[in-house]
Amino acid sequence: MRLKIILAGLIAFCSFCSNGQETNQVGFNAREYYDLLGVNEITHMPDVALGKETGLTNIYTLQYRSPEVGLLNRWEMWKRNDGVAVISIRGTIQQPVSWMANFYAAMIPATGSLQINDSTNFQYQVAANPKAAVHIGWMIGLAHFAPGLVSAIKETIATDKTNQFIIMGHSQGGGLAFLTTSYLYYLTQKGELPSNIKWTTYCSAAPKPGNTYYAYDFDFITRNGKAYTIVNSADWVPETPNGVQTLNDYNTGSPFSNIQAILGSQKPIARWYLNGVFKKMDRSTKKAQRRLDKYLGHKMYKVVKKVLPQFKQPAFANTSVYTRAGVPIVLIPDAAYWQAFPEDPAKTFQHHLMGPYRMLVKTYYLNRQ
């Protein structure tokens, strides 16, 4: 009799643990990501097309769509049937102003302020390391929609009694999802948002958001949560923006910071040769850095100012070594994929759209469950 009671208890305990693992899945949740692609696809729809969320209405319900702000940035608040809130961020749309946000690609410090108009100075922090820097174009987007988003989060917490939020973005929306996650995290550290919020982030087909030190910070602050960067290896967008690593981008203590002392131990001819090579490499990378700031920073600012005439250009960070962040979920095309999406140089965004990502997630995750 005692043995039966013990066995019954063990069975009940195992059943409890199993159910807990299903509702609090550890690791990448492919089904959740797959469904969120559908949510984010609706976020990209024009206002007149709303109401076509067929197939999602039993699981996800649209609560709020923001107006277009900044460089045509937009986000939505959704509610899942289990109470989880979803922040869906729109990516690039087929408007020149939207593309400006991508090409305005100089870096600014990860902590600072942006004077977005004559009456609004946006104070922000998206990393703790003073060496961290991020993409200015996407930070402009965050600066414009952050106040409304934070208000909506507070209202959602109060109304729905939830502390679970998902942040989802595809393409430029994925780049913004990185910065949004970081910004909201540091608001919790300052007490401006509840510290018990649980965040899950899906940066889908996202470009690189900032430099190495920003990536370090992002991966550190999300270490106890879930923050994924999903990449189709045939997609060129996650390989952008272009960047360059100068000798200034290394941590203090690298041999490059004391190169003369190292070269001093060499024989005269070797010292002369190596010193010349080092100077050429140093000059060439710094020159490339200055060119990036010139064309993707100062010149693009003149274009952006025509759309945001009161925006004041901040000082750029002396870096442009763009780096990926987040837990990588890499999707490798197989034979069936290449048959469906054969290489065609004329189809620039063929591998970047949501359809190819859906196919690969189904192939490697959903079809094997």
Side-chain angles (χ1 to χ4, degrees):
M1 185 67 178
R2 179 179 295 178
L3 179 60
K4 289 182 179 179
I5 294 174
I6 292 173
L7 288 175
L10 287 173
I11 291 170
F13 176 76
C14 291
S15 176
F16 172 81
C17 291
S18 176
N19 290 336
Q21 288 175 353
E22 289 177 3
T23 55
N24 298 286
Q25 179 171 336
V26 176
F28 177 60
N29 188 330
R31 168 52 62 184
E32 183 173 75
Y33 167 68
Y34 185 88
D35 290 345
L36 288 171
L37 283 172
V39 168
N40 196 249
E41 194 166 38
I42 292 170
T43 306
H44 284 76
M45 289 181 177
D47 291 340
V48 294
L50 281 181
K52 295 183 178 180
E53 44 276 39
T54 305
L56 292 171
T57 50
N58 293 331
I59 305 174
Y60 295 90
T61 305
L62 178 59
Q63 303 290 298
Y64 174 76
R65 165 174 278 197
S66 79
E68 291 182 333
V69 295
L71 298 175
L72 296 184
N73 304 108
R74 166 173 278 169
W75 60 274
E76 293 174 341
M77 183 71 76
W78 291 69
K79 182 180 179 181
R80 200 162 69 186
N81 58 5
D82 61 356
V84 174
V86 176
I87 300 163
S88 180
I89 304 173
R90 189 172 73 178
T92 309
I93 60 173
Q94 296 305 313
Q95 296 289 338
V97 172
S98 183
W99 281 98
M100 286 181 197
N102 300 327
F103 292 122
Y104 194 20
M107 284 193 184
I108 57 174
T111 299
S113 64
L114 289 178
Q115 190 73 38
I116 60 177
N117 57 51
D118 290 346
S119 61
T120 307
N121 186 276
F122 177 67
Q123 303 287 328
Y124 67 88
Q125 180 179 6
V126 293
N129 192 325
K131 294 183 179 180
V134 294
H135 188 288
I136 185 174
W138 303 326
M139 183 55 74
I140 289 174
L142 176 63
H144 281 84
F145 70 64
L149 176 59
V150 172
S151 295
I153 291 172
K154 292 178 178 178
E155 182 179 347
T156 299
I157 293 171
T159 303
D160 297 335
K161 309 302 181 184
T162 185
N163 70 335
Q164 297 187 58
F165 287 82
I166 296 173
I167 300 170
M168 168 67 183
H170 187 86
S171 189
Q172 182 193 102
L176 282 162
F178 281 116
L179 301 183
T180 301
T181 300
S182 299
Y183 176 73
L184 296 176
Y185 169 83
Y186 282 103
L187 288 187
T188 66
Q189 300 302 294
K190 298 170 185 175
E192 297 180 33
L193 284 174
S195 60
N196 67 339
I197 295 179
K198 297 179 181 178
W199 308 102
T200 299
T201 300
Y202 294 99
C203 301
S204 176
K208 293 174 277 190
N211 70 352
T212 305
Y213 300 105
Y214 170 76
Y216 286 160
D217 191 278
F218 182 87
D219 290 346
F220 180 75
I221 66 174
T222 60
R223 68 193 183 283
N224 295 323
K226 303 175 183 178
Y228 305 101
T229 176
I230 302 96
V231 175
N232 172 3
S233 67
D235 182 4
W236 62 269
V237 172
E239 300 169 351
T240 63
N242 292 335
V244 61
Q245 186 172 21
T246 71
L247 300 181
N248 293 331
D249 290 310
Y250 290 93
N251 269 315
T252 303
S254 76
F256 304 114
S257 62
N258 194 24
I259 192 67
Q260 295 304 324
I262 295 174
L263 294 179
S265 63
Q266 304 297 316
K267 293 182 179 180
I269 294 179
R271 183 169 65 247
W272 169 80
Y273 173 76
L274 292 173
N275 190 52
V277 170
F278 174 82
K279 287 183 177 180
K280 287 181 179 179
M281 293 176 60
D282 189 31
R283 284 196 299 267
S284 63
T285 56
K286 288 179 178 177
K287 184 177 181 179
Q289 165 67 48
R290 290 194 296 271
R291 283 180 174 173
L292 288 174
D293 277 355
K294 176 181 178 180
Y295 291 103
L296 302 182
H298 299 292
K299 287 188 175 294
M300 277 303 304
Y301 169 70
K302 295 178 181 178
V303 179
V304 169
K305 194 170 175 61
K306 294 178 181 178
V307 179
L308 303 173
Q310 296 179 357
F311 174 70
K312 306 297 183 184
Q313 178 170 277
F316 296 140
N318 187 29
T319 180
S320 65
V321 53
Y322 277 100
T323 307
R324 296 213 58 76
V327 176
I329 305 297
V330 179
L331 307 171
I332 303 291
D334 60 1
Y337 177 93
W338 289 120
Q339 185 174 3
F341 303 101
E343 287 284 26
D344 184 349
K347 297 179 179 178
T348 307
F349 293 99
Q350 176 178 220
H351 305 299
H352 182 61
L353 302 177
M354 293 184 189
Y357 277 77
R358 282 196 184 94
M359 179 178 182
L360 290 174
V361 169
K362 289 178 68 175
T363 297
Y364 290 114
Y365 291 93
L366 302 183
N367 289 346
R368 299 183 180 184
Q369 292 180 352

